[in-house]
Amino acid sequence: MASKSYSNLLDLMGDTTLSAETRMGAMTTRCVRAGGMTRVATSPPGICSESRDDDNRSSTQQEGSVSTDASVLSEESRMLIVAHMLPLHTKPGPDSNSWSFEWDRASPLWQLKDGLPEEMEVIYVGCLKVEVDESEQDEVAATLLENFNCVAAFLPKDLRTRFYHGFCKQMLWPLFHYLLPLSPNHGGRFNRLDWQAYVSVNKIFADKVMEVISPDDDYVWVHDYHLMVLPTFLRKRFNKVKLGFFLHSPFPSSEIYRTLPVRDEILRALLNADLIGFHTFDYARHFLSCCSRMLGLEYESKRGYIGLEYYGRIVGIKIMPVGIHMGQFAASLKLPDTRWRIRELQEQFKGKTVLLGVDDMDIFKGIGLKFLALEEMLRQHPEWKGKVVVVQIANPARGKGKDVEEAQNEARTLAQRINEEFGNEKYKPVVLLERYVPPYERIAFYTVAECCVVTAVRDGMNLMPYEYIACREGGSYLDVVAGKIPEAQVVKKSMLIVSEFIGCSPSLSGAIRVNPWNIEMVAEAMYNAITMKETEQQLRHEKHYKYISTHDVAYWARSFMLDLERTCRDHTRRRCYGIGFGLSFRVVALDPSFKKLRTELIVAAYKKSSSRAILLDYDGTMMPTSHKESPSPEVLSLLNTLCNDPKNVVFIVSGRPRSKLSEWFSPCKKLGLAAEHGFFYRWQSVSEWDRHSATERDMPVMSFEWKLVAEPVMQLYTESTDGSYIEDKESALVWHHRFADPDFGSWQAKEMQNHLESVLANEPVTVKSGAQIVEVTPQGVSKGVVVEKLLLMMEREHGTLPDMVLCVGDDRSDEDMFESIAALMNDAPSAEVFACTVGQKPSKAKYYLDDTVEVIKMLQGLASASDPSTAPSLPHFTDIASLHI
């Protein structure tokens, strides 16, 4: 049975007995209503009671009662931290029917509060690390909400198993660490039931967030791969929710990620967040490459910020590795237990150099590779036998399965073999600790170790090197406190050997970076680390400590929060609405003035006007871009009706060659045509084609000799780019790469553009890139230029600009038309201007129609107004196929 969804969390707040440990630092709450939803906010001690008759509540509040709705809106924003697990330690209480809770102060989710504004309230949403009986869930939920500001999500056992041990650990975790399910025993094969469980759990988390969120004020920060589809559920419920997501694991390259059967669903779900965070540029680059290859989205970098435009929304990409809590380690070093354990370890390893590893027991941490490297070093440098020890702390595995057992067996076997070959009764080169090591003991190991070794073959961030540096810095002062040495003689040094494949590697410039698969390389790194001069170790330590002390967990949280706030700044200004079903749901964000063009509105303006200009794009406007057929007789009849109205000037403005346009529209004798984006144009079929020129005197002598230079360059790139081709127009050359590899095609396009700009620098042409094209055109040629020229010629002929202009287009080249018309028609404030794009997307136009069918229906309305007698004979298109014969 799924967890209950409570519409009023105040109903859960009964009298509960808390342990003394829970009561320490407990937070009391008050509850206020926001949009029909209970909202939790911190207050002085004492829980207020909420009136059942909310609608009749008096505006005059007695002392201790709840606040009014107005006060809710004036409060500071809150942060909702949503993660798989709550940052809490849970254990049974004094009696069998109670639980005791305390904060997990080692969790980054708890530590990140230091980076948020002091006045910002933090609410956590997640699961507990223990299973709570269904009969106890209400009481536990009330206790957590009242005392810890935590909203607990309880998952049924079967659902939790399929979600966590199924999809998360058997599918996502291996895949994100570059392990493909090549066989049933090698990684996890995709299981549709596990995926459905994953989606169901994310939906449960969304319900929990909805119980407490005030969508107009609060921020939501979702963490890690367990909840990657949660942004879709939240965005579907609240289109303008301020939502950030941070991935704490690696993100694989597109070649790996594309093997995931639900790849598009997860990508689109992540894009429903406002800001997506990654530890390193490599992880972000892989994500952007997946968006490009699978969704056709391109990113742009502007003033240091990376963003993806997704249906009018700018989704920010944040690259910021998480840090550690420096104060926590400084305080832990002063604990009596820590000092006692340090002294004990110093005595245990007296006269020996300690190399330390702290890893989870799984196949990606490279524990076996580390042991093999030690074995190789002792063989190459036998003089270090009896002098060097590798202490490996193997934390209990988070997952389970055959892979974990194999990693455990390999580590035990190698440790035993090395100890038998190089050790004796008093000396063991490998100390393998397969048990839970409490924080104070782990800090003691960090302090006594001369070198820290990380040989993970793939890992997200891995904060162990940061923790080691902090402990080596603080541990240097223990001898000063003990009075053993004066402070002036303190030597602060450390050495790091880190794998190239972990997230913290780029930030540790003083570490010895290794390929963990190269055993000889790691062995040599170990030898270099333990034999390095002390002054060099000090310099490297100083560099590392400076970085980790300034880039701590608070810095990470503060930086993410500032970027999230900046990304969400336009939410209130934008007009948003949702489209799509299920996990294909997304939000389209539009300018407030952008609205659908109603036929009755434009027909009314049409009837009142005496001089009209109707300017229509062809591909994507009069017909779908996926079709190449000529217009149907019905469309030609419609255009003829509009052209026969003496008040109208009708033009098709297209990128097509003039030969094609002449052939297709030959039945429309009065129709004006502008071909190749306006380079050629004519007013009627009996007119001669005119062409673009900077001045009229240039018209007869324009040369296209530049093609002799540009075409060989394009041919060179075409031969080396599979799927690309050249389109030779009369006035332009276009290189298409829509069928090429997305990344390679884009790269080649940039290279070609630079190459062409260089060789054509002295020619009267423009080199520009577009939607999967690079185009060379004569200077000053665009749809905007030709439209401006046509309107000015109408003004010369009639003495005034037209009092109604309709301009319809669907792509980037048509935006030039909208911009030119807006600028030119400012001189005619009484004129009605209808700039309309096809499709609901960001545009310089003020109106939109959904598709080509609606464009034709709108033109039908105008044709009927021009010649009512033809209205019955005009076709009423209800299907896109009826537009073509």
Side-chain angles (χ1 to χ4, degrees):
M1 180 177 176
S3 170
K4 298 178 182 178
S5 179
Y6 308 105
S7 60
N8 186 350
L9 289 177
L10 193 64
D11 294 340
L12 302 179
M13 293 186 179
D15 292 331
T16 58
T17 302
L18 304 178
S19 65
E21 184 179 37
T22 307
R23 291 183 183 276
M24 290 181 60
M27 185 188 309
T28 55
T29 60
R30 69 175 182 274
C31 301
V32 295
R33 292 296 257 187
M37 190 174 300
T38 300
R39 173 175 174 172
V40 185
T42 55
S43 75
I47 303 177
C48 65
S49 60
E50 182 179 71
S51 170
R52 296 295 177 184
D53 188 6
D54 294 318
D55 296 333
N56 298 325
R57 180 178 294 139
S58 171
S59 59
T60 304
Q61 301 288 335
Q62 297 180 353
E63 184 177 358
S65 65
V66 294
S67 306
T68 63
D69 286 348
S71 66
V72 173
L73 299 177
S74 64
E75 289 182 352
E76 294 292 336
S77 297
R78 305 175 305 167
M79 173 63 79
L80 275 63
I81 305 294
V82 189
H84 176 214
M85 291 295 178
L86 293 169
L88 292 171
H89 290 306
T90 308
K91 57 184 180 182
D95 58 82
S96 59
N97 295 324
S98 66
W99 294 92
S100 177
F101 307 97
E102 64 176 347
W103 288 114
D104 178 6
R105 300 182 186 277
S107 170
L109 299 179
W110 183 84
Q111 296 169 354
L112 65 78
K113 291 194 294 185
D114 288 358
L116 302 179
E118 187 175 351
E119 66 278 5
M120 176 174 274
E121 180 188 358
V122 177
I123 298 175
Y124 292 98
V125 180
C127 297
L128 291 170
K129 298 173 185 176
V130 298
E131 187 172 349
V132 179
D133 189 83
E134 186 178 344
S135 63
E136 301 175 350
Q137 289 179 6
D138 287 3
E139 183 178 357
V140 169
T143 300
L144 293 176
L145 181 63
E146 179 180 356
N147 295 283
F148 294 91
N149 251 21
C150 290
V151 178
F154 299 106
L155 307 178
K157 185 175 181 179
D158 292 344
L159 183 65
R160 185 177 68 249
T161 299
R162 282 197 172 276
F163 159 71
Y164 184 71
H165 295 292
F167 195 76
C168 289
K169 283 300 181 182
Q170 293 300 314
M171 190 73 232
L172 290 180
W173 178 257
L175 188 76
F176 279 25
H177 289 75
Y178 288 72
L179 182 62
L180 290 175
L182 301 178
S183 69
N185 295 325
H186 188 198
R189 290 286 176 89
F190 179 77
N191 184 310
R192 181 65 60 176
L193 293 177
D194 290 349
W195 163 245
Q196 291 171 354
Y198 182 84
V199 173
S200 297
V201 169
N202 278 251
K203 182 66 169 64
I204 290 173
F205 271 76
D207 292 339
K208 291 298 177 184
V209 172
M210 292 174 192
E211 291 174 2
V212 293
I213 190 173
S214 176
D216 293 333
D217 301 320
D218 296 343
Y219 290 86
V220 182
W221 189 355
V222 181
H223 289 264
D224 222 2
Y225 65 96
H226 312 89
L227 302 173
M228 286 197 294
V229 299
L230 177 59
T232 288
F233 294 121
L234 295 179
R235 185 69 62 190
K236 189 173 185 178
R237 180 63 181 85
F238 307 114
N239 287 352
K240 296 185 180 182
V241 64
K242 292 170 278 192
L243 176 60
F245 178 91
F246 197 93
L247 184 67
H248 292 269
S249 75
F251 194 93
S253 69
S254 61
E255 293 303 311
I256 298 295
Y257 180 79
R258 69 197 305 177
T259 64
L260 184 63
V262 288
R263 61 192 189 184
D264 286 0
E265 290 89 334
I266 290 178
L267 282 182
R268 292 189 184 279
L270 289 175
L271 290 170
N272 275 320
D274 294 299
L275 183 66
I276 307 172
F278 300 92
H279 284 307
T280 71
F281 173 71
D282 278 346
Y283 303 160
R285 177 169 56 86
H286 293 159
F287 174 77
L288 293 171
S289 176
C290 289
C291 291
S292 172
R293 288 173 173 270
M294 296 164 207
L295 303 181
L297 303 176
E298 298 297 332
Y299 74 92
E300 63 177 14
S301 181
K302 187 175 182 181
R303 296 184 178 180
Y305 297 106
I306 302 174
L308 279 165
E309 184 175 337
Y310 187 61
Y311 290 91
R313 295 171 47 248
I314 300 298
V315 180
I317 303 297
K318 177 73 173 175
I319 302 168
M320 175 62 68
V322 69
I324 62 172
H325 195 290
M326 299 295 293
Q328 196 172 90
F329 282 92
S332 297
L333 280 166
K334 299 176 183 178
L335 296 175
D337 286 347
T338 305
R339 295 187 182 185
W340 165 79
R341 188 57 174 143
I342 289 173
R343 288 193 296 268
E344 191 176 57
L345 292 175
Q346 287 173 336
E347 184 64 28
Q348 179 182 347
F349 298 111
K350 189 174 182 179
K352 298 179 180 64
T353 299
V354 178
L355 281 68
L356 178 66
V358 181
D359 302 283
D360 293 341
M361 181 58 80
D362 67 48
I363 59 175
F364 300 110
K365 295 302 186 287
I367 295 175
L369 298 175
K370 190 183 304 178
F371 291 171
L372 289 173
L374 173 66
E375 182 180 48
E376 179 68 19
M377 191 202 77
L378 291 175
R379 286 174 180 168
Q380 295 294 329
H381 304 279
E383 69 275 11
W384 279 92
K385 179 180 177 180
K387 299 178 182 179
V388 65
V389 176
V390 168
V391 177
Q392 177 63 54
I393 298 175
N395 299 319
R398 301 181 189 181
K400 57 184 179 181
K402 185 177 179 180
D403 292 341
V404 174
E405 294 176 4
E406 289 178 353
Q408 289 174 332
N409 293 335
E410 181 192 26
R412 293 166 184 167
T413 301
L414 288 174
Q416 182 179 356
R417 187 180 81 190
I418 295 170
N419 287 336
E420 289 176 353
E421 181 177 351
F422 298 99
N424 52 50
E425 292 182 359
K426 297 183 179 180
Y427 168 65
K428 291 184 178 180
V430 178
V431 178
L432 178 60
L433 302 178
E434 291 187 87
R435 61 175 174 82
Y436 170 71
V437 177
Y440 79 89
E441 186 177 6
R442 189 175 78 250
I443 289 172
F445 274 108
Y446 283 144
T447 305
V448 302
E450 294 292 328
C451 179
C452 177
V453 185
V454 184
T455 53
V457 296
R458 187 70 60 179
D459 208 352
M461 186 59 194
N462 199 322
L463 294 175
M464 193 262 283
Y466 289 7
E467 297 174 354
Y468 168 71
I469 295 296
C471 292
R472 290 290 289 179
E473 174 76 16
S476 303
Y477 289 102
L478 293 180
D479 290 335
V480 176
V481 175
K484 294 182 179 180
I485 58 174
E487 186 173 349
Q489 297 181 15
V490 171
V491 176
K492 292 174 283 187
K493 61 178 183 177
S494 62
M495 278 304 301
L496 284 173
I497 299 173
V498 298
S499 166
E500 298 170 355
F501 307 114
I502 64 174
C504 66
S505 176
S507 61
L508 298 170
S509 57
I512 301 176
R513 296 192 183 98
V514 294
N515 175 1
W517 298 104
N518 189 336
I519 304 301
E520 293 78 10
M521 182 183 186
V522 180
E524 190 63 22
M526 288 181 174
Y527 178 74
N528 291 337
I530 60 180
T531 59
M532 186 174 291
K533 292 181 179 180
E534 192 172 87
T535 53
E536 178 67 16
Q537 293 185 39
Q538 292 177 28
L539 290 173
R540 291 178 183 237
H541 173 83
E542 182 180 346
K543 179 187 293 186
H544 291 155
Y545 182 74
K546 182 178 180 181
Y547 175 83
I548 68 168
S549 61
T550 55
H551 294 72
D552 60 358
V553 66
Y555 177 85
W556 168 71
R558 184 164 52 251
S559 178
F560 189 91
M561 181 62 199
L562 290 174
D563 275 16
L564 180 58
E565 186 179 17
R566 176 186 55 80
T567 307
C568 299
R569 202 167 289 160
D570 287 343
H571 275 18
T572 55
R573 189 181 65 84
R574 293 279 186 174
R575 185 163 58 89
C576 299
Y577 62 94
I579 59 174
F581 299 97
L583 293 177
S584 296
F585 176 85
R586 60 268 190 203
V587 165
V588 178
L590 303 171
D591 191 270
S593 61
F594 192 60
K595 51 191 175 182
K596 190 166 186 176
L597 181 58
R598 292 183 294 112
T599 300
E600 56 268 27
L601 173 67
I602 192 171
V603 168
Y606 186 85
K607 290 179 177 179
K608 291 190 296 183
S609 58
S610 58
S611 175
R612 314 175 189 118
I614 301 175
L615 310 165
L616 305 171
D617 175 45
Y618 182 58
D619 295 282
T621 302
M622 300 296 291
M623 62 169 287
T625 54
S626 59
H627 292 253
K628 293 185 178 180
E629 298 92 341
S630 59
S632 67
E634 288 82 5
V635 170
L636 296 174
S637 173
L638 181 60
L639 290 173
N640 270 326
T641 302
L642 293 172
C643 292
N644 289 333
D645 190 324
K647 298 178 180 179
N648 293 344
V649 172
V650 184
F651 255 86
I652 297 291
V653 185
S654 173
R656 294 272 191 172
R658 58 177 173 172
S659 58
K660 279 291 183 186
L661 295 181
S662 296
E663 175 187 346
W664 288 345
F665 293 100
S666 57
C668 301
K669 304 301 181 182
K670 298 180 180 180
L671 179 67
L673 297 176
E676 299 191 17
H677 297 296
F679 185 83
F680 297 105
Y681 62 93
R682 72 182 188 191
W683 288 87
Q684 294 181 355
S685 62
V686 295
S687 306
E688 294 294 326
W689 284 95
D690 290 330
R691 64 181 182 182
H692 165 84
S693 61
T695 66
E696 292 190 8
R697 286 179 298 175
D698 292 340
M699 195 180 302
V701 295
M702 180 169 286
S703 170
F704 294 100
E705 291 184 357
W706 55 266
K707 285 190 175 184
L708 301 176
V709 179
E711 190 167 10
V713 174
M714 287 188 171
Q715 191 61 42
L716 177 67
Y717 285 87
T718 302
E719 292 172 358
S720 61
T721 310
D722 288 341
S724 65
Y725 63 94
I726 302 171
E727 180 184 5
D728 188 356
K729 298 181 179 180
E730 285 188 72
S731 66
L733 283 174
V734 186
W735 188 73
H736 296 263
H737 61 91
R738 69 174 65 249
F739 302 118
D741 177 270
D743 288 337
F744 185 59
S746 298
W747 181 47
Q748 289 286 76
K750 291 176 184 176
E751 290 293 317
M752 177 192 289
Q753 185 172 358
N754 292 335
H755 194 164
L756 289 171
E757 287 174 349
S758 175
V759 299
L760 298 174
N762 297 320
E763 299 289 344
V765 295
T766 299
V767 183
K768 54 189 176 183
S769 60
Q772 297 173 315
I773 66 167
V774 175
E775 187 171 17
V776 184
T777 60
Q779 287 179 350
V781 173
S782 73
K783 288 186 178 182
V785 172
V786 72
V787 163
E788 182 179 359
K789 183 178 295 187
L790 296 175
L791 292 175
L792 291 175
M793 292 175 72
M794 290 180 67
E795 182 183 27
R796 244 179 292 168
E797 182 177 346
H798 301 290
T800 181
L801 288 168
D803 55 8
M804 176 185 161
V805 177
L806 169 64
C807 181
V808 188
D810 76 303
D811 64 17
R812 188 182 305 176
S813 64
D814 300 312
E815 297 295 315
D816 293 334
M817 288 199 295
F818 304 147
E819 189 172 18
S820 293
I821 290 172
L824 185 63
M825 297 305 291
N826 277 336
D827 297 334
S830 60
E832 296 276 10
V833 178
F834 297 92
C836 178
T837 188
V838 180
Q840 301 178 39
K841 57 183 181 291
S843 173
K844 295 174 183 176
K846 290 189 176 182
Y847 298 93
Y848 72 88
L849 291 170
D850 287 328
D851 49 36
T852 55
V853 174
E854 290 199 349
V855 173
I856 298 299
K857 286 183 177 180
M858 180 269 294
L859 294 177
Q860 284 178 334
L862 301 184
S864 298
S866 281
D867 187 359
S869 64
T870 65
S873 63
L874 287 173
H876 290 274
F877 302 110
T878 58
D879 190 283
I880 199 69
S882 65
L883 296 177
H884 312 284
I885 292 181

